[in-house]
């Protein structure tokens, strides 16, 4: 029997009712009548003691699917007078807001069941529920020690700290069940790695098997997520887990809306007005609409405009329209959530903050402004509509340009066909390992081999080498001689005896500095002569390289250097930005989704190649992608223009087009790689190719990246052997090139500080005081210089691993390079030209969006399109195209 099993047959309503106590069943029957698919599948399995992963959308009764069986067991114990003062179930979720939500959601059924039991003549007593997070007061924590909750609600960070709390850890040891909610959100980050190993430590503390239950929204592949939940046995096989796949238990209806008949020739102001007209019309026809944008700034803009419009049309008052995003205070966000639940809002506009399962009551329509960048995110967002299993989750995507239209059409079709992107789960993060090893040393003295065995039971560290494990222990024991940099040992280590344990002072360091979320710092920007200009977010600064041009406060500046949290710049008036200000906020297109976009482009191009009549091709696009006629025509014309301009070279999942474009106005050569593999892969490839081009030409190379392409720019008009360049990066050499390229970047400096903080090399808080971020970054830069000379230093290796595997996507970038070198993906060169091809227009004008308004950027696109059409007209008229050099 396979350890990971899919549940094919589920119980019917009556069978589930029979598994429950009479009064629990009666309460449920009165309240809901019948069970949802995830409930029918999961409740009997949980009652039987199986590890279970339940994947289903919002509004399918997931909470009761996992908790009803547990509540039933607890009431059974209470009924027989065997319910003790101890923790039975631990519920872990990524958000503190979700925790308070869950407490409310549990208290209601507990109260209801107790009342029904009383009617039946039974006194079943109280089942206590409590939340323990960083917000919990010391008084409340003391109360939990004296009288522990039967169900404890917490976060990964608080669980890790509770494991080393001398008194409270004994309370955790009695747990029987662990429920991990929003597992899709945790698995894809280092918070998931933190939790994965914490669960192994918890099971070790309990001294027996814990029953693990995972709750997830739409995610793939479920087998990997199940392994992440349950971990491994000592023989290397995954523990048992039953997968309840109810991801598509709710009907969905997703459509793409194109606001105007012609996306290229319609003036930008008209497109903008048409988008808001469409929004107003959708809002008018629905009770409550949730609108998702892709950035916080866009959220604020849309709310501002809608407040004016909806009041003007008498559709909604100003206080019925609210924004919800991570930059707002917690109190403001809670107010918005409460108003939503009470049905007091007509419209809520959010960036990503309402994607997670906070109970937000009834929503009958979700609108996405522009692409959600992955099928999983699309399904998650649309799943917020129709908050009941029988209600259709209705989603509409409004597109802004032709690239967006192509991408959204593909994602919507993939969503309806249930093709979900694969989740990326970080492997062997050494900074998280360092944190846990200090935590383990605080528990007791450990044999090295026993600790290694425990660590390898965690999915996140299952492939960890013994050498890496020892290197982290040696670092923690102060074996790398970094005392002069004030990096001291946190544990003692005796390799001869094969044991390690804690050093004095380590407990307070652990309490004050553990966790996986780095402190994001605002950086202060100064000109070289010391004039203060404004602030930038760290996520933005880490993508800058010297010479980059960006906009701050409406002016353009050239990035020079950083010192700690100070950024030095020089004015660059009149120069075009190379990094748009929204770049760090933009979500990257998932690799699997990018391949689907490439496949779609290829299919349309093949129809053109085979002379399929235009109306037949448009009809096929309409039918296959559920589009309106004008939207399908926009797509067809876009691909046709590219096809005709390049002589049939339409970049796709099987063709990488390398376009050489001489920009005479700026006296530069641009090599555009049309590589449809998503931004994380393009970020990886662009740096390697820029390095090779720089080596070939002996000059600096600027990089621009989108999900569909990357552009390498060199000053001056030069001859470039583009074909040679395309094959110059070998898959087996990629990592070495990138490590060389990343060495002196802001990205490495910032990520190294994060890893050093997580690994307790740099302490954010010491002796109760929070340390100055400026100091911390300067320390990190000094430490980085020191450890660069230490071969294989674990936290520096982790910084590179995090950048290459989690931030970028080296694995899929290698796969693309193998496809190129093995001929599975063809490389063609186009140019040199003086007017870029239609598919290149967006990357060419990408920087303009900051200097000028979006309207002016749109005009630039229209101008480039006009020049392409002019050249095509000349060719059709038999005149040689002036664009070709």
């Amino acid at each position: 029997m396979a350890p990971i099993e899919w549940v094919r047959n589920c119980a019917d309503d009556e069978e589930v009712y029979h598994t429950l106590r009479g009064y629990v069943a009666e309460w449920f029957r009165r309240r809901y009548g019948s069970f949802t698919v995830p409930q029918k599948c999961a409740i009997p399995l949980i009652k039987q003691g199986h590890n279970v992963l339940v994947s289903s959308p919002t509004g399918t009764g997931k909470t009761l699917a996992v908790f009803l069986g547990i509540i039933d067991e607890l009431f059974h114990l209470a009924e027989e007078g065997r319910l003790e003062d101890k923790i039975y179930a631990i519920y872990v979720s990524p958000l503190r807001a979700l925790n308070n939500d869950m407490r409310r959601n549990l208290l209601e059924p507990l109260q209801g069941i107790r009342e029904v039991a009383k009617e039946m003549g039974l006194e079943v007593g109280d089942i206590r529920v409590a939340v323990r997070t960083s917000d919990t007061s010391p008084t409340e924590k003391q109360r939990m020690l004296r009288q522990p909750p039967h169900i404890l609600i917490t976060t990964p960070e608080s669980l890790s700290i509770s494991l080393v709390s001398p008194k409270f850890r004994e309370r955790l040891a009695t747990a029987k069940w662990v429920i991990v909610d929003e597992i899709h959100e945790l698995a894809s980050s280092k918070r998931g790695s933190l939790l994965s190993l914490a669960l192994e430590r918890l099971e070790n503390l309990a001294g027996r098997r814990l029953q693990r239950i995972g709750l997830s929204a739409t995610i793939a592949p479920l087998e990997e997520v199940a392994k992440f939940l349950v971990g491994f046995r000592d023989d290397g096989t995954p523990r048992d887990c039953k997968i309840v796949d109810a991801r598509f238990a709710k009907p969905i209806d997703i459509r793409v809306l194109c606001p105007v008949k012609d996306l290229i020739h319609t003036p930008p102001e008209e497109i903008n007005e048409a988008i808001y007209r469409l929004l107003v019309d959708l809002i008018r026809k629905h009770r409550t609409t949730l609108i998702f944008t892709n950035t916080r700034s866009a959220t604020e803009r849309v709310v501002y405009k809608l407040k004016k419009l909806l009041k003007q049309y008498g559709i909604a008052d100003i206080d019925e329209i609210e924004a919800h995003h991570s930059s707002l205070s917690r109190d403001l966000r809670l107010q918005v959530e409460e108003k939503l639940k009470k049905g007091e809002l007509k419209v809520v506009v959010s960036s990503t903050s309402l994607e997670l399962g906070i109970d937000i009551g009834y929503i009958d329509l979700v609108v996405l402004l522009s692409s959600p960048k992955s099928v999983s995110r699309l399904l998650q967002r649309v799943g917020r509509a129709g908050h009941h299993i029988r209600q259709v989750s209705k989603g509409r995507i409004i597109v802004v340009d032709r690239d967006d239209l192509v991408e959204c059409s593909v994602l919507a079709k993939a969503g309806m066909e249930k093709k979900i992107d694969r989740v990326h789960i970080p492997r062997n993060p050494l900074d998280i390992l360092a944190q846990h090893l200090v935590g383990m040393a605080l528990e007791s003295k450990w044999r090295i081999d026993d600790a290694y065995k425990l660590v390898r039971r965690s999915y996140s560290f299952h492939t960890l080498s013994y050498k890496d494990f020892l290197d982290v222990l040696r670092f923690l024991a102060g074996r790398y001689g970094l005392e002069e940099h004030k990096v001291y040992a946190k544990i003692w280590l005796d390799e001869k005896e094969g044991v390690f344990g804690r050093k004095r002072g380590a407990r307070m360091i652990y309490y004050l500095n553990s966790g996986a979320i780095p402190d994001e710092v605002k950086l202060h920007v100064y000109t070289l002569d010391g004039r203060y200009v404004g602030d930038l977010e760290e996520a933005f600064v880490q993508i800058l390289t010297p010479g980059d041009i960006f906009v701050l406060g409406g002016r353009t500046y050239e990035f020079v250097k950083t010192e700690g949290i100070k950024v030095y710049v020089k004015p660059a008036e009149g120069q075009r930005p190379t990094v748009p200000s929204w770049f760090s906020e933009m979500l990257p297109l998932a690799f699997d989704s990018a391949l689907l976009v490439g496949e779609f482009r290829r299919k349309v191009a093949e129809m053109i190649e085979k002379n399929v009549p235009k109306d037949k091709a448009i009809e096929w696009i309409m039918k296959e992608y559920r589009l309106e006629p004008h939207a399908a025509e926009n797509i067809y014309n876009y691909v046709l223009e590219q096809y005709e301009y390049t002589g049939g070279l339409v970049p796709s999942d099987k063709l990488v087009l390398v376009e050489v474009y001489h920009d005479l106005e700026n006296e530069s050569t641009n090599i555009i790689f049309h590589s449809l593999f998503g931004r994380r892969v393009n970020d990886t490839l662009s740096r390697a190719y820029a390095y090779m081009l720089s080596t070939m030409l002996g000059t600096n190379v600027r990089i621009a990246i989108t999900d569909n392409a990357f552009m390498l720019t060199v000053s001056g008009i030069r001859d470039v052997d583009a074909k040679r360049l395309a094959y110059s990066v070998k898959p087996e050499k990629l990592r070495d090139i990138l490590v060389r390229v990343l060495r002196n970047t802001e990205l490495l400096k910032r990520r190294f500080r994060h890893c050093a903080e997580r690994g307790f090399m740099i302490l954010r808080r010491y002796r109760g005081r929070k340390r100055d971020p400026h100091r911390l970054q300067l320390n990190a830069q000094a430490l980085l210089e020191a450890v660069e000379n230490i071969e294989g230093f674990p936290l520096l290796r982790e910084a590179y691993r995090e950048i290459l595997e989690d931030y970028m996507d080296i694995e899929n970038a290698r796969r693309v390079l193998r496809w190129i070198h093995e001929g599975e993906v063809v490389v063609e060169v186009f140019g040199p030209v003086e007017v870029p091809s239609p598919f290149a227009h967006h990357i060419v004008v990408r920087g303009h969006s900051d200097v000028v308004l979006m309207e002016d950027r749109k005009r630039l696109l229209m101008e480039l399109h006009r020049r392409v059409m002019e050249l095509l007209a000349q060719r059709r008229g038999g005149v040689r195209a002036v664009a070709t050099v």
Side-chain angles (χ1 to χ4, degrees):
M1 190 191 292
I4 307 291
E5 270 189 274
W6 294 76
V7 177
R8 304 291 175 201
N9 301 306
C10 298
D12 62 25
D13 275 1
E14 286 313 307
E15 285 172 321
V16 182
Y17 276 126
H18 279 305
T19 66
L20 299 168
R21 322 290 306 148
Y23 47 89
V24 175
E26 180 57 26
W27 170 81
F28 191 90
R29 203 186 298 270
R30 288 182 194 177
R31 184 74 201 268
Y32 299 102
S34 64
F35 294 96
T36 65
V37 174
Q39 289 166 349
K40 286 178 194 174
C41 298
I43 292 169
L45 292 170
I46 290 167
K47 292 275 289 178
Q48 289 158 22
H50 293 290
N51 292 328
V52 180
L53 172 65
V54 181
S55 182
S56 71
T58 306
T60 52
K62 272 188 298 196
T63 304
L64 283 177
V66 298
F67 268 113
L68 202 62
I70 292 169
I71 288 170
D72 187 79
E73 290 287 310
L74 293 175
F75 274 124
H76 183 197
L77 291 171
E79 200 185 316
E80 295 183 348
R82 293 189 294 121
L83 187 71
E84 298 174 50
D85 267 354
K86 66 183 192 185
I87 294 170
Y88 287 90
I90 299 171
Y91 166 91
V92 186
S93 91
L95 288 183
R96 284 175 300 194
L98 266 178
N99 288 335
N100 295 318
D101 223 39
M102 180 53 69
R103 185 171 175 275
R104 280 197 299 268
N105 290 347
L106 284 176
L107 290 176
E108 191 187 331
L110 289 171
Q111 175 69 24
I113 291 166
R114 222 174 14 252
E115 285 167 9
V116 173
K118 203 170 185 180
E119 282 175 35
M120 293 179 161
L122 289 165
E123 283 295 336
V124 290
D126 270 350
I127 288 169
R128 294 188 301 273
V129 183
V131 176
R132 187 183 178 100
T133 66
S134 55
D135 292 338
T136 309
S137 69
T139 316
E140 186 63 30
K141 286 179 180 174
Q142 280 302 314
R143 190 181 302 130
M144 280 183 212
L145 264 177
R146 289 192 305 274
Q147 194 183 40
H150 301 115
I151 300 172
L152 174 71
I153 296 173
T154 190
T155 60
E157 291 76 13
S158 292
L159 177 61
S160 294
I161 287 173
S162 299
L163 281 168
V164 300
S165 169
K167 291 174 184 166
F168 197 69
R169 65 184 258 106
E170 293 162 25
R171 296 298 194 189
L172 296 177
T174 62
K176 179 182 176 184
W177 298 280
V178 176
I179 301 104
V180 181
D181 201 356
E182 304 287 350
I183 201 166
H184 57 281
E185 181 69 19
L186 287 167
S188 59
S189 73
K190 285 190 176 182
R191 295 184 75 201
S193 315
L194 185 78
L195 176 63
S196 173
L197 194 38
L199 293 182
E200 296 308 328
R201 287 173 58 199
L202 180 63
E203 186 155 308
N204 185 65
L205 171 66
R208 66 193 137 70
R209 171 189 174 269
L210 292 171
Q211 186 180 345
R212 306 188 195 199
I213 301 153
L215 282 172
S216 174
T218 312
I219 194 170
L222 285 179
E223 295 97 328
E224 286 305 302
V225 180
K227 288 178 197 168
F228 172 80
L229 170 69
V230 298
F232 290 81
R233 300 186 186 96
D234 286 340
D235 66 1
T237 59
R239 294 189 183 103
D240 296 347
C241 187
K242 306 276 187 193
I243 297 174
V244 174
D245 181 8
R247 289 173 294 183
F248 309 105
K250 243 168 98 177
I252 51 171
D253 171 23
I254 306 170
R255 283 186 180 272
V256 173
L257 303 177
C258 182
V260 292
K261 294 284 182 216
D262 181 349
L263 280 167
I264 198 75
H265 293 108
T266 307
E269 302 84 354
E270 280 182 38
I271 292 179
N272 209 24
E273 279 170 28
I275 289 170
Y276 280 104
R277 267 200 310 276
L278 199 44
L279 272 177
V280 167
D281 189 46
L282 289 167
I283 292 163
R284 182 189 280 119
K285 289 174 182 166
H286 295 86
R287 201 176 91 191
T288 309
T289 303
L290 171 59
I291 300 168
F292 280 105
T293 67
N294 284 344
T295 63
R296 287 169 301 209
S297 51
T299 295
E300 293 292 353
R301 266 200 321 274
V302 172
V303 167
Y304 176 74
K305 188 86 187 246
L306 282 178
K307 282 192 174 190
K308 289 205 312 205
L309 282 174
L310 296 178
K311 188 164 170 46
Q312 182 186 322
Y313 290 116
I315 296 168
D317 285 333
I318 288 171
D319 54 6
E320 291 179 287
I321 304 148
E322 294 284 6
H324 189 290
H325 57 74
S326 54
S327 295
L328 295 172
S329 73
R330 188 165 166 266
D331 289 347
L332 270 175
R333 292 202 306 271
L334 285 173
Q335 278 173 33
V336 174
E337 288 158 27
E338 280 306 313
K339 283 172 84 173
L340 247 182
K341 274 179 222 172
K342 290 175 185 167
E344 294 171 5
L345 294 179
K346 184 79 177 159
V347 185
V348 178
V349 187
S350 175
S351 50
T352 55
S353 54
L354 283 179
E355 281 177 1
L356 289 187
I358 300 163
D359 183 11
I360 51 175
Y362 182 82
I363 282 165
D364 50 351
L365 176 70
V366 168
V367 178
L368 288 82
L369 289 178
S370 197
S371 170
K373 297 294 176 184
S374 83
V375 181
S376 311
R377 184 173 272 108
L378 170 63
L379 292 171
Q380 213 166 309
R381 289 178 172 185
V382 172
R384 307 296 313 198
H387 206 80
H388 189 275
I389 187 83
R390 287 165 199 84
Q391 290 166 343
V392 176
S393 288
K394 187 173 171 186
R396 298 292 180 261
I397 313 172
I398 300 177
V399 300
V400 295
D401 57 44
R402 297 196 298 183
D403 280 315
D404 199 30
L405 172 58
V406 170
E407 192 174 296
C408 291
S409 302
V410 170
L411 292 179
K413 179 177 164 68
M416 294 296 286
E417 291 175 354
K418 303 161 181 144
K419 290 179 182 165
I420 305 167
D421 315 285
R422 290 163 300 163
V423 67
H424 166 76
I425 305 175
R427 292 298 188 102
N428 307 322
L430 301 182
D431 49 356
I432 298 293
L433 175 63
Q435 208 173 109
H436 271 294
L437 289 174
V438 173
M440 287 165 72
L442 292 172
E443 293 169 10
S444 64
K445 187 167 93 171
W446 280 83
R447 292 206 58 76
I448 293 172
D449 290 351
D450 290 345
Y452 179 57
K453 206 182 280 184
L454 181 144
V455 166
R456 295 244 312 182
R457 288 175 203 146
S458 151
Y459 175 95
S460 299
F461 296 95
H462 183 59
T463 57
L464 181 76
S465 72
Y466 191 65
K467 182 191 178 300
D468 282 354
F469 180 75
L470 266 182
D471 282 350
V472 174
L473 277 177
R474 286 169 183 154
F475 151 66
L476 290 171
R479 297 283 164 82
Y480 286 97
L482 294 166
E483 286 80 2
E484 63 180 288
H485 295 280
K486 295 189 170 63
V487 178
Y488 302 109
K490 314 292 183 296
I491 64 168
W492 58 261
L493 171 68
D494 186 336
E495 287 187 56
K496 207 166 157 194
E497 289 293 313
V499 287
F500 69 92
R502 72 183 169 109
K503 287 200 90 135
R504 253 185 76 204
R507 186 176 298 279
M508 200 44 71
I509 286 170
Y510 189 88
Y511 284 161
L512 294 174
N513 295 278
S514 63
I517 306 168
D519 285 345
E520 282 297 333
V521 182
K522 276 259 194 280
L523 281 86
H524 309 309
V525 184
Y526 296 88
T527 54
L528 290 171
D529 56 6
R531 186 169 53 84
Y532 172 67
V533 173
D535 291 342
L536 286 173
E537 288 190 0
E538 192 169 27
F540 181 73
V541 174
Q542 74 176 19
I543 58 178
L544 297 177
T545 53
D548 270 336
I549 312 288
F550 65 93
V551 174
L552 182 61
R555 294 175 183 274
T556 43
Y557 296 97
E558 182 184 323
F559 171 67
V560 179
K561 62 175 180 176
T562 61
E563 278 176 16
I565 59 163
K566 288 182 178 172
V567 177
Y568 288 98
V569 297
K570 53 188 183 192
E573 286 309 313
Q575 289 196 53
R576 202 174 90 194
T578 55
V579 186
S581 62
W582 40 258
F583 186 74
S584 62
E585 264 192 77
M586 285 298 285
L587 301 162
L589 179 64
F591 178 71
D592 297 340
S593 295
L595 291 178
L596 292 174
V597 173
E599 183 189 356
F600 176 42
R601 284 184 177 186
R602 174 166 53 82
K603 284 178 176 172
V604 178
E606 282 168 357
M607 284 193 278
I608 295 166
E609 180 80 32
K610 290 171 184 165
N611 293 316
V612 171
K614 180 176 178 175
D615 58 339
K616 287 274 181 283
I618 288 171
E619 200 178 300
W620 177 83
I621 296 169
M622 280 168 61
K623 186 164 163 286
E624 284 289 308
Y625 293 84
R626 305 176 82 215
L627 292 171
E628 302 154 288
H630 69 275
E633 189 169 0
N634 268 284
I635 290 171
Y636 179 85
N637 288 340
Y638 190 26
V639 178
L640 178 68
E641 286 160 17
Q642 176 73 17
Y643 184 92
E644 290 188 331
Y645 187 68
T646 59
L649 300 176
V650 175
S652 70
D653 56 332
K654 300 291 182 194
L655 171 67
V656 169
L657 180 64
V658 184
E659 178 174 350
V660 182
Y661 155 54
H662 288 324
D663 182 347
L664 301 181
E665 190 186 334
N666 292 294
E667 295 185 353
S668 62
T669 297
N670 302 278
I671 297 112
I672 301 162
F673 279 72
H674 294 271
S675 50
L676 275 89
F677 306 114
R679 199 176 77 215
R680 287 176 63 227
V681 168
N682 282 345
D683 195 352
T684 316
L685 292 175
S686 66
R687 290 169 193 261
Y689 278 113
Y691 174 80
M692 298 309 285
L693 183 62
S694 176
T695 309
M696 282 162 70
L697 299 178
T699 185
N700 288 337
V701 177
R702 284 213 314 272
I703 303 171
I705 312 156
T706 69
D707 287 308
N708 301 333
F710 59 89
M711 181 166 75
L712 311 177
T713 302
V714 292
S715 296
I717 305 300
R718 297 161 182 256
D719 287 330
V720 176
D721 188 340
K723 195 84 166 188
R724 184 179 144 222
L725 176 64
Y727 288 96
S728 65
V729 179
K730 305 278 193 300
E732 62 278 9
K733 296 281 186 219
L734 183 60
R735 190 181 190 94
D736 293 346
I737 292 172
L738 291 169
V739 166
R740 221 171 299 156
V741 168
L742 288 168
R743 187 150 285 149
N744 295 312
T745 59
E746 284 302 315
L747 187 56
L748 182 65
K749 283 184 206 169
R750 306 274 146 203
R751 293 289 171 138
F752 175 72
R753 191 195 86 231
H754 295 168
C755 294
E757 285 176 2
R758 288 192 206 98
F760 300 157
M761 187 181 187
I762 294 173
L763 304 178
R764 289 172 287 181
R765 292 168 194 84
Y766 187 61
R767 293 185 174 164
R769 283 202 326 273
K770 197 169 179 349
R771 298 173 77 194
D772 171 29
H774 180 64
R775 266 268 111 332
L776 290 178
Q777 187 60 42
L778 286 172
N779 285 1
Q781 282 169 223
L783 280 170
L784 180 56
E785 284 169 28
V787 301
E788 271 182 331
N789 301 317
I790 301 171
E791 195 181 329
F793 185 76
L795 293 185
L796 179 57
R797 285 219 321 279
E798 174 53 28
Y800 280 116
R801 189 212 62 79
E802 182 185 307
I803 293 168
L804 295 174
E805 294 177 20
D806 304 346
Y807 177 74
M808 295 181 193
D809 186 356
I810 191 168
E811 188 188 330
N812 283 318
R814 272 203 201 102
R815 188 190 295 186
V816 168
L817 289 171
R818 277 197 296 275
W819 289 342
I820 287 170
H821 285 277
E822 289 164 11
E824 204 172 316
V825 166
V826 176
V827 176
E828 294 285 359
V829 174
F830 174 65
V833 290
E834 288 166 20
V835 175
S837 72
F839 281 8
H841 292 177
H842 271 84
I843 195 162
V844 169
V845 306
R846 161 181 169 281
H848 282 290
S849 63
D850 264 345
V851 190
V852 286
L853 295 167
M854 205 67 184
E855 282 82 353
D856 290 342
R857 181 170 176 267
K858 184 76 175 67
R859 282 195 194 92
L860 287 167
L861 284 170
M862 286 168 74
E863 172 58 21
L864 285 171
H865 181 261
R866 186 192 62 74
R867 287 164 70 187
V868 163
M869 297 314 285
E870 222 171 66
L871 290 165
L872 283 175
Q874 287 173 11
R875 285 188 201 170
R876 286 174 193 136
V879 183
R880 181 179 170 276
V882 291
T884 314
V885 176

